[in-house]
Amino acid sequence: MPPVQPFENAVQTHGPTVLRVCRAVLGAGPDADDAWSETFLAALRAWPDLPPGTNVQAWLVRVARNKSIDIVRATARQAIPADALPDAARSHDPQATDVWQAVARLPQRQREAVAYHYFGGLPHTETAEVTGSSPAAVRRAAADGIAALRRTLSTDDPTPSARTPAKASR
């Protein structure tokens, strides 16, 4: 038996409260609006099974909090592109500087695949989620990127560590 009030009334009555919760977690902007929408989409799906006597406002606030945290987590996993390396990442070692410059010259898909998988330690499946690609495409881009780095950075030193970044564990 669904709650006494129709779903439309719950949206009108509790919508402003849900938006305040989303904005408190995410700040004003499109992310808060998205969390508000996701909250009410999830609520609409669960509405028919909501037990009678449920405190609808408290339930919606909890759903809004969870949806907002989902957006925070998703945003935290996305890299922010930059034109130059931050000062902390710069090195006085000429070989390290060459690596960063070579990575920066890779095509975007290869650069992202190498950065997320090899430098960030993400598995190909998570790298695919972050980049909006398939795991197979990420594997290929990462392999092509590493091959390009090997060609660019090849030296007389036969040790692989001198030519390529260390691969992170999966």
Side-chain angles (χ1 to χ4, degrees):
M1 178 168 161
V4 177
Q5 66 179 341
F7 184 75
E8 295 79 15
N9 288 358
V11 175
Q12 288 178 343
T13 303
H14 304 295
T17 302
V18 168
L19 185 58
R20 283 193 300 273
V21 169
C22 295
R23 285 182 176 170
V25 175
L26 298 164
D31 285 344
D33 296 339
D34 289 347
W36 185 92
S37 298
E38 289 294 324
T39 297
F40 283 106
L41 284 173
L44 180 61
R45 286 185 204 108
W47 195 254
D49 300 325
L50 203 60
T54 298
N55 181 339
V56 174
Q57 181 175 354
W59 176 71
L60 285 170
V61 165
R62 190 169 51 251
V63 173
R65 176 195 168 275
N66 293 341
K67 294 298 179 183
S68 297
I69 288 172
D70 288 347
I71 290 174
V72 168
R73 287 179 181 152
T75 304
R77 288 187 297 231
Q78 294 176 352
I80 300 171
D83 292 333
L85 290 173
D87 289 336
R90 295 182 192 273
S91 172
H92 297 293
D93 177 7
Q95 245 184 344
T97 302
D98 291 345
V99 170
W100 288 117
Q101 289 172 352
V103 170
R105 286 191 300 267
L106 290 173
Q108 180 179 351
R109 288 180 193 246
Q110 291 178 13
R111 185 175 58 247
E112 288 176 349
V114 167
Y116 297 148
H117 182 68
Y118 290 98
F119 297 141
L122 294 179
H124 290 301
T125 53
E126 286 186 34
T127 301
E129 289 176 23
V130 170
T131 60
S133 188
S134 71
V138 168
R139 272 189 213 89
R140 184 66 206 198
D144 290 347
I146 291 298
L149 290 174
R150 283 186 176 136
R151 285 190 303 274
T152 302
L153 300 171
S154 65
T155 65
D156 294 334
D157 186 351
T159 60
S161 63
R163 295 188 309 253
T164 60
K167 185 171 179 179
S169 64
R170 293 180 188 189

